[in-house]
Amino acid sequence: MTTLSDPPPASCQAAPASGLKLRALFRDGQGEMHLDWPIARLDEAIQDVRGTLWLDIEDNPGEPSPAAEHLLLNVFKFHPLAVEDALRESHIPKIDDWDDYLYLVFHSSSIDPISDDLCLQELDVFLGPNYLVTYHEAPIAFLSEGREAIEHDPRDRMKHGADHLLFRFLDRSVDQSLAAIEVLDERVDQVQDAVMESLGPQNLHQIFRIKRSAIQLQRTFSPQRDVLNRLARDPYRVVKEGHRIYFRDVYDHVVRIHDISESLRDLIAGTLDTYLSVMSNRSNEIMKTLTMVTVMFMPMSFIVGFFGMNFFGEALELEARLPKWFLFFASLAVMSLSPVGMLAYAKRRHWF
């Protein structure tokens, strides 16, 4: 069974390392939007308490960049344990309160269209009073979509603050996971139809792959539900009280996905039971047919064996009393009629 700490399947592996990518978007206290804020001036953006800064860090997979570590430790002054968690370890979804900022681990999920494996992308988030730092090791679609939306509508997308920007990203992540659930549901329907049409090891393999993905998805969303519940209810300093209702809405979506994943596991278990039942019924039919064929030819085998003994003809002197051709055709008739008689008897008793 796969765990969250296990490496993803080959089809879900991150893209090859392409170097550190830093993108900073900054809306200053006067409402002016800067779509390409210089990394060297991050301190200035952090000091603007009325502004909103979003720094997105895309690092090398499995090879944390010293430059990224320097930014997190020395520019934003995050705790070394939180930075170590973000750079070097993979965690289940969680939230840590460091008073002046929050550290979150969140996962977005998708289904590989070829192997039906669940692909998890970890997103590490640092949320401060006026900044949002996202760290990940591979491109994440909803972050790219959020950046494009800000570029197309720079005035309104970041005016509500960093916590509202985080809500938008988490909401898009949950929507992406809901799409993964729908894909798994379609796969279950397809494999159910395939099981009823034909049996084969490929169907059994697909059932277990879908089951593994569903279990992994449920294990991921169980802690993510707790993360969003805390964001919606706990009085964190960096989350405005009026914005908790937005996280509550995302929490409701996660609860729905968690419930759907549980029902999906039941469907997969039912599909596996159906497969085994159909396989058992088909084996029974085959065994019944083979048994009936054996029974049909049993009288023939008895006659051939009985009359094939040497002493029988000598004891009764059949060869002297009857012509050989008569004995041959009589034996042939008895041997031919006995399977037919056995088959008719089995049909009458509804054995076959």
Side-chain angles (χ1 to χ4, degrees):
M1 183 179 296
T2 318
T3 62
L4 290 178
S5 59
D6 291 336
S11 56
C12 299
Q13 292 284 358
S18 57
L20 178 67
K21 296 180 181 178
L22 302 173
R23 305 177 184 88
L25 286 75
F26 177 51
R27 186 180 188 273
D28 61 28
Q30 286 71 38
E32 183 178 355
M33 192 68 200
H34 306 272
L35 299 178
D36 192 11
W37 185 257
I39 301 300
R41 298 174 60 189
L42 287 177
D43 284 328
E44 179 182 340
I46 296 173
Q47 296 301 322
D48 188 350
V49 295
R50 297 179 55 193
T52 302
L53 170 68
W54 173 30
L55 174 64
D56 182 54
I57 304 175
E58 182 180 327
D59 210 345
N60 299 324
E63 301 177 4
S65 170
E69 186 174 3
H70 170 77
L71 284 175
L72 298 177
L73 285 175
N74 301 321
V75 177
F76 288 94
K77 303 186 185 308
F78 297 137
H79 195 280
L81 291 178
V83 174
E84 183 180 2
D85 286 347
L87 296 182
R88 294 182 175 87
E89 297 185 20
S90 179
H91 296 277
I92 63 174
K94 69 172 186 174
I95 180 170
D96 292 334
D97 184 9
W98 294 93
D99 197 23
D100 293 332
Y101 59 90
L102 295 177
Y103 170 63
L104 293 83
V105 180
F106 213 78
H107 287 88
S108 61
S109 55
S110 60
I111 300 298
D112 187 272
I114 299 176
S115 63
D116 291 332
D117 286 321
L118 180 68
C119 306
L120 294 177
Q121 288 183 297
E122 181 177 325
L123 177 65
D124 298 274
V125 179
F126 295 89
L127 174 65
N130 64 331
Y131 60 82
L132 179 69
V133 179
T134 54
Y135 178 88
H136 50 99
E137 295 183 346
I140 297 181
F142 62 84
L143 291 181
S144 301
E145 294 171 359
R147 189 181 308 107
E148 293 176 359
I150 293 174
E151 292 173 354
H152 291 142
D153 190 10
R155 291 185 175 273
D156 295 334
R157 293 288 176 174
M158 294 180 64
K159 71 177 182 179
H160 298 293
D163 55 344
H164 191 272
L165 186 62
L166 174 62
F167 149 72
R168 289 180 178 273
F169 293 153
L170 297 187
D171 187 44
R172 291 293 300 123
S173 174
V174 171
D175 289 343
Q176 180 176 324
S177 299
L178 183 60
I181 283 282
E182 294 175 352
V183 171
L184 281 180
D185 191 30
E186 292 177 0
R187 294 289 190 274
V188 172
D189 291 339
Q190 293 173 1
V191 76
Q192 284 178 338
D193 295 338
V195 165
M196 300 307 297
E197 292 177 0
S198 63
L199 294 177
Q202 67 278 3
N203 291 334
L204 188 60
H205 294 163
Q206 188 175 10
I207 289 174
F208 281 110
R209 285 198 302 266
I210 296 174
K211 183 179 181 180
R212 179 183 59 193
S213 297
I215 293 175
Q216 182 79 343
L217 191 64
Q218 187 178 21
R219 294 177 58 196
T220 302
F221 271 87
S222 182
Q224 283 191 175
R225 180 180 57 181
D226 298 334
V227 169
L228 287 167
N229 186 40
R230 293 180 61 183
L231 282 172
R233 302 183 185 279
D234 291 356
Y236 295 120
R237 291 179 54 185
V238 295
V239 178
K240 300 181 182 65
E241 184 177 357
H243 289 172
R244 293 180 194 167
I245 189 173
Y246 296 109
F247 293 105
R248 194 175 306 159
D249 179 68
V250 183
Y251 168 76
D252 293 339
H253 293 171
V254 171
V255 170
R256 177 189 172 198
I257 292 178
H258 185 267
D259 294 341
I260 293 176
S261 64
E262 286 186 345
S263 63
L264 192 62
R265 287 182 59 183
D266 295 337
L267 284 176
I268 296 171
T271 303
L272 181 59
D273 292 341
T274 302
Y275 177 90
L276 297 177
S277 178
V278 172
M279 178 70 76
S280 177
N281 290 338
R282 187 159 299 182
S283 299
N284 291 338
E285 289 294 329
I286 294 174
M287 291 303 300
K288 185 167 64 175
T289 302
L290 294 178
T291 303
M292 195 63 237
V293 171
T294 303
V295 171
M296 286 169 56
F297 286 91
M298 189 179 298
M300 183 187 298
S301 302
F302 172 77
I303 294 173
V304 170
F306 188 75
F307 283 97
M309 292 185 295
N310 294 329
F311 71 87
F312 189 82
E314 296 175 359
L316 298 183
E317 299 180 354
L318 293 178
E319 293 184 358
R321 300 179 182 181
L322 298 173
K324 294 183 178 180
W325 62 267
F326 179 80
L327 292 175
F328 172 77
F329 284 109
S331 300
L332 187 63
V334 172
M335 289 188 293
S336 300
L337 293 176
S338 58
V340 177
M342 292 297 297
L343 180 61
Y345 180 75
K347 290 280 189 181
R348 182 178 179 183
R349 298 297 300 270
H350 303 287
W351 291 350
F352 187 72

